[in-house]
Amino acid sequence: MDIVCDICEGIPLPDNTAEFVMASRVMPYVNDLFAALSEIHRISTHKAVICILSPYAHSFPHISNPMFKQKFDEYTPRYLTGSFFQPSLSPISPEIPDYPAPAPPFDFRLLRMELFYQYPFDDSLYETEELEVLKTLQSNVVHEIMYHFAVIKQEISREELEAMSRKVYPEPRALFQRRLRSQNRQN
C-alpha cells in the first residue's frame, strides 16, 4: 500500500496521472459519492479505466447493511455521465424514465458491466434471459456488480468507446475465487 487517504478529502496525486483505478468493494462506504468520483476523475488521464466492484443494491444483506451509504445497480452508469454510452457486449443499463438526473461534474462512460449472481441463480442453471427476468422480479438474485468505466475529458467517438469496451482490463482479485467456484459448479 502506497497511499492511505480519505478519497472524499482528496487523493495526494497530481491531476491527470492515473491510467487505471481499482475500487474494489469500497465505494458503498464513502459519504459523498460525487466527491469521491470527482477526485478519481481529477487524478485520471483522458481514457483512463476505472474498475468498481460493489455490492448489488437489491440484495437483502446489502440493503440492510447500515454501513453502506451508496447503492449500485444497472442504472448507476446512467448517473455518472451526461453522454451515456451503451457498450454492445455489456448487459443493458436501462434508461431512467421518470427522474433523469442532471449531468454530473465528471464524465465516466460505461465500458463493461458484469453481474455476479448468488447461488443458485447463476448461468450454469439459468439462461441469460431468465436471469434478466429474475433479477427484475425479485431481490437476492444478484450479489455484486462490477463496472469498467472510461474517464472522458476530451471528445471521443462511439467507435473508440466500443473498441475500448472490447479490451480486457484488470479486475479485483476477489473475483478470482468467485469465478473459480462458478466454473466448478458448471463442471
Side-chain angles (χ1 to χ4, degrees):
M1 187 176 321
D2 296 326
I3 299 172
V4 177
C5 66
D6 180 338
I7 193 172
C8 294
E9 298 296 321
I11 302 171
L13 289 174
D15 294 357
N16 302 308
T17 55
E19 294 179 359
F20 184 83
V21 175
M22 175 98 50
S24 178
R25 298 176 174 161
V26 69
M27 298 308 276
Y29 297 99
V30 301
N31 287 321
D32 185 340
L33 182 62
F34 273 26
L37 292 174
S38 291
E39 189 61 8
I40 290 172
H41 192 269
R42 179 192 67 77
I43 67 163
S44 297
T45 62
H46 174 61
K47 297 196 296 186
V49 174
I50 311 304
C51 177
I52 297 174
L53 174 66
S54 284
Y56 189 68
H58 312 290
S59 175
F60 290 155
H62 306 316
I63 293 169
S64 62
N65 187 335
M67 301 301 289
F68 290 167
K69 299 170 183 106
Q70 311 300 327
K71 307 292 186 205
F72 296 87
D73 66 12
E74 56 274 30
Y75 292 91
T76 303
R78 296 236 178 216
Y79 291 100
L80 306 183
T81 181
S83 301
F84 181 73
F85 168 74
Q86 176 64 59
S88 64
L89 299 178
S90 183
I92 300 295
S93 178
E95 288 189 37
I96 304 164
D98 300 327
Y99 301 98
F106 42 72
D107 191 353
F108 292 99
R109 308 269 178 100
L110 182 64
L111 296 177
R112 178 175 301 118
M113 179 171 54
E114 187 172 355
L115 302 167
F116 296 98
Y117 293 88
Q118 298 187 102
Y119 182 79
F121 305 106
D122 59 32
D123 50 9
S124 65
L125 297 175
Y126 295 92
E127 298 293 326
T128 303
E129 295 80 18
E130 292 174 309
L131 289 170
E132 277 294 312
V133 171
L134 281 170
K135 79 174 176 61
T136 303
L137 296 176
Q138 69 183 50
S139 298
N140 297 317
V141 174
V142 177
H143 184 66
E144 289 184 299
I145 189 165
M146 181 175 65
Y147 316 94
H148 282 90
F149 293 104
V151 173
I152 305 302
K153 295 187 175 187
Q154 303 166 16
E155 289 295 317
I156 189 167
S157 69
R158 295 186 70 71
E159 293 77 23
E160 196 170 359
L161 284 167
E162 187 64 37
M164 288 179 71
S165 77
R166 294 171 185 268
K167 292 182 179 178
V168 175
Y169 297 105
E171 41 184 58
R173 279 182 257 153
L175 293 181
F176 178 76
Q177 287 298 329
R178 175 179 286 284
R179 291 189 191 285
L180 191 60
R181 282 192 305 271
S182 180
Q183 279 181 335
N184 289 338
R185 280 197 294 270
Q186 290 175 4
N187 295 334

